[in-house]
Short mmCIF file of all heavy atoms in Angstrom, two decimals:
data_model
loop_
_atom_site.label_atom_id
_atom_site.label_comp_id
_atom_site.label_asym_id
_atom_site.label_seq_id
_atom_site.Cartn_x
_atom_site.Cartn_y
_atom_site.Cartn_z
N LEU A 10 4.42 53.03 28.89
CA LEU A 10 5.57 53.13 27.99
C LEU A 10 6.11 54.55 28.04
O LEU A 10 5.44 55.50 27.63
CB LEU A 10 5.17 52.80 26.55
CG LEU A 10 4.52 51.44 26.30
CD1 LEU A 10 4.21 51.27 24.82
CD2 LEU A 10 5.40 50.31 26.80
N MET A 11 7.32 54.71 28.56
CA MET A 11 7.98 56.01 28.51
C MET A 11 9.17 55.87 27.56
O MET A 11 10.33 55.85 27.95
CB MET A 11 8.43 56.46 29.89
CG MET A 11 8.62 57.98 29.96
SD MET A 11 8.63 58.62 31.62
CE MET A 11 8.78 60.38 31.26
N LEU A 12 8.81 55.75 26.28
CA LEU A 12 9.77 55.47 25.22
C LEU A 12 9.60 56.47 24.08
O LEU A 12 8.50 56.92 23.79
CB LEU A 12 9.57 54.05 24.66
CG LEU A 12 9.63 52.88 25.64
CD1 LEU A 12 9.27 51.60 24.93
CD2 LEU A 12 11.03 52.78 26.26
N SER A 13 10.71 56.77 23.41
CA SER A 13 10.66 57.58 22.21
C SER A 13 10.22 56.71 21.03
O SER A 13 9.97 55.51 21.20
CB SER A 13 12.03 58.20 21.94
OG SER A 13 13.02 57.18 21.88
N ASN A 14 10.11 57.30 19.86
CA ASN A 14 9.74 56.52 18.66
C ASN A 14 10.86 55.54 18.33
O ASN A 14 11.96 55.95 17.94
CB ASN A 14 9.51 57.45 17.47
CG ASN A 14 8.22 58.23 17.58
OD1 ASN A 14 7.60 58.26 18.64
ND2 ASN A 14 7.82 58.88 16.51
N ARG A 15 10.59 54.27 18.47
CA ARG A 15 11.57 53.21 18.22
C ARG A 15 10.82 51.89 18.09
O ARG A 15 9.66 51.79 18.52
CB ARG A 15 12.61 53.15 19.35
CG ARG A 15 12.01 52.99 20.73
CD ARG A 15 13.04 53.16 21.85
NE ARG A 15 14.06 52.13 21.80
CZ ARG A 15 15.18 52.17 22.51
NH1 ARG A 15 15.44 53.20 23.31
NH2 ARG A 15 16.07 51.21 22.41
N PRO A 16 11.44 50.86 17.52
CA PRO A 16 10.74 49.58 17.34
C PRO A 16 10.19 49.00 18.64
O PRO A 16 9.12 48.37 18.65
CB PRO A 16 11.82 48.68 16.72
CG PRO A 16 12.70 49.63 15.97
CD PRO A 16 12.76 50.86 16.84
N GLU A 17 10.91 49.21 19.74
CA GLU A 17 10.45 48.66 21.02
C GLU A 17 9.11 49.25 21.45
O GLU A 17 8.33 48.58 22.12
CB GLU A 17 11.50 48.89 22.11
CG GLU A 17 12.76 48.07 21.97
CD GLU A 17 13.79 48.71 21.03
OE1 GLU A 17 13.49 49.77 20.42
OE2 GLU A 17 14.89 48.15 20.91
N PHE A 18 8.86 50.50 21.09
CA PHE A 18 7.56 51.10 21.40
C PHE A 18 6.45 50.35 20.67
O PHE A 18 5.41 50.03 21.26
CB PHE A 18 7.54 52.58 20.99
CG PHE A 18 6.29 53.32 21.40
CD1 PHE A 18 6.31 54.19 22.47
CD2 PHE A 18 5.09 53.13 20.72
CE1 PHE A 18 5.15 54.87 22.87
CE2 PHE A 18 3.94 53.80 21.10
CZ PHE A 18 3.97 54.67 22.17
N VAL A 19 6.69 50.06 19.40
CA VAL A 19 5.68 49.38 18.59
C VAL A 19 5.44 47.96 19.10
O VAL A 19 4.30 47.54 19.32
CB VAL A 19 6.10 49.36 17.11
CG1 VAL A 19 5.08 48.59 16.27
CG2 VAL A 19 6.24 50.79 16.58
N GLU A 20 6.52 47.21 19.32
CA GLU A 20 6.36 45.81 19.71
C GLU A 20 5.75 45.69 21.11
O GLU A 20 4.92 44.80 21.35
CB GLU A 20 7.69 45.07 19.64
CG GLU A 20 8.73 45.53 20.63
CD GLU A 20 10.14 45.09 20.31
OE1 GLU A 20 10.46 44.93 19.13
OE2 GLU A 20 10.93 44.94 21.27
N ALA A 21 6.13 46.59 22.02
CA ALA A 21 5.57 46.53 23.37
C ALA A 21 4.10 46.93 23.37
O ALA A 21 3.28 46.34 24.08
CB ALA A 21 6.37 47.43 24.31
N SER A 22 3.75 47.95 22.57
CA SER A 22 2.35 48.37 22.47
C SER A 22 1.48 47.24 21.94
O SER A 22 0.44 46.90 22.52
CB SER A 22 2.22 49.58 21.54
OG SER A 22 2.85 50.72 22.06
N LEU A 23 1.91 46.64 20.84
CA LEU A 23 1.11 45.59 20.22
C LEU A 23 1.13 44.31 21.05
O LEU A 23 0.14 43.57 21.08
CB LEU A 23 1.61 45.34 18.80
CG LEU A 23 1.44 46.54 17.86
CD1 LEU A 23 2.09 46.27 16.51
CD2 LEU A 23 -0.03 46.89 17.69
N GLY A 24 2.24 44.04 21.73
CA GLY A 24 2.28 42.90 22.65
C GLY A 24 1.31 43.08 23.80
O GLY A 24 0.65 42.13 24.23
N THR A 25 1.20 44.31 24.30
CA THR A 25 0.25 44.63 25.36
C THR A 25 -1.18 44.41 24.88
O THR A 25 -1.99 43.75 25.55
CB THR A 25 0.42 46.09 25.81
OG1 THR A 25 1.74 46.28 26.33
CG2 THR A 25 -0.60 46.45 26.88
N LEU A 26 -1.49 44.92 23.70
CA LEU A 26 -2.84 44.78 23.16
C LEU A 26 -3.18 43.32 22.86
O LEU A 26 -4.33 42.90 22.98
CB LEU A 26 -2.99 45.62 21.89
CG LEU A 26 -2.83 47.14 22.06
CD1 LEU A 26 -2.97 47.84 20.73
CD2 LEU A 26 -3.84 47.67 23.07
N ALA A 27 -2.16 42.55 22.48
CA ALA A 27 -2.39 41.13 22.21
C ALA A 27 -2.84 40.37 23.45
O ALA A 27 -3.51 39.34 23.35
CB ALA A 27 -1.11 40.51 21.64
N LEU A 28 -2.48 40.88 24.63
CA LEU A 28 -2.87 40.24 25.89
C LEU A 28 -4.25 40.70 26.37
O LEU A 28 -4.74 40.21 27.40
CB LEU A 28 -1.84 40.56 26.98
CG LEU A 28 -0.45 39.97 26.81
CD1 LEU A 28 0.48 40.48 27.91
CD2 LEU A 28 -0.48 38.45 26.81
N GLY A 29 -4.84 41.67 25.65
CA GLY A 29 -6.08 42.25 26.15
C GLY A 29 -5.82 43.26 27.24
O GLY A 29 -6.74 43.67 27.97
N ALA A 30 -4.56 43.70 27.35
CA ALA A 30 -4.18 44.70 28.35
C ALA A 30 -4.23 46.09 27.72
O ALA A 30 -4.51 46.24 26.53
CB ALA A 30 -2.79 44.40 28.90
N GLN A 31 -3.93 47.11 28.52
CA GLN A 31 -4.07 48.50 28.09
C GLN A 31 -2.70 49.19 28.01
O GLN A 31 -1.90 49.06 28.94
CB GLN A 31 -4.98 49.26 29.04
CG GLN A 31 -6.38 48.66 29.16
CD GLN A 31 -7.17 49.24 30.30
OE1 GLN A 31 -6.90 50.35 30.78
NE2 GLN A 31 -8.19 48.51 30.74
N VAL A 32 -2.48 49.92 26.92
CA VAL A 32 -1.26 50.69 26.74
C VAL A 32 -1.45 52.07 27.36
O VAL A 32 -2.47 52.73 27.11
CB VAL A 32 -0.90 50.83 25.25
CG1 VAL A 32 0.41 51.60 25.08
CG2 VAL A 32 -0.80 49.47 24.58
N VAL A 33 -0.45 52.50 28.14
CA VAL A 33 -0.46 53.85 28.72
C VAL A 33 0.81 54.56 28.24
O VAL A 33 1.85 54.48 28.88
CB VAL A 33 -0.51 53.82 30.26
CG1 VAL A 33 -0.71 55.24 30.82
CG2 VAL A 33 -1.62 52.89 30.75
N PRO A 34 0.75 55.24 27.09
CA PRO A 34 1.95 55.90 26.56
C PRO A 34 2.16 57.26 27.21
O PRO A 34 1.22 58.03 27.38
CB PRO A 34 1.63 56.05 25.07
CG PRO A 34 0.14 56.14 25.01
CD PRO A 34 -0.40 55.38 26.19
N LEU A 35 3.42 57.54 27.59
CA LEU A 35 3.73 58.81 28.24
C LEU A 35 4.73 59.61 27.42
O LEU A 35 5.66 59.05 26.82
CB LEU A 35 4.31 58.59 29.64
CG LEU A 35 3.42 57.90 30.67
CD1 LEU A 35 4.07 57.96 32.04
CD2 LEU A 35 2.04 58.53 30.73
N ASN A 36 4.55 60.92 27.43
CA ASN A 36 5.50 61.83 26.81
C ASN A 36 6.85 61.72 27.54
O ASN A 36 6.90 61.81 28.78
CB ASN A 36 4.95 63.26 26.92
CG ASN A 36 5.76 64.27 26.13
OD1 ASN A 36 6.97 64.16 26.02
ND2 ASN A 36 5.08 65.27 25.60
#
């Protein structure tokens, strides 16, 4: 995720975790 603070960051992060996948957030 190369996103600023926004709803899409939250939904994509939690959607990723819901799949048992790993979130890689980047500055």
Side-chain angles (χ1 to χ4, degrees):
L10 303 181
M11 202 162 183
L12 304 174
S13 55
N14 287 12
R15 55 189 296 169
E17 290 85 356
F18 186 104
V19 177
E20 66 197 30
S22 294
L23 296 174
T25 299
L26 297 179
L28 293 175
Q31 301 168 22
V32 182
V33 187
L35 298 188
N36 188 325

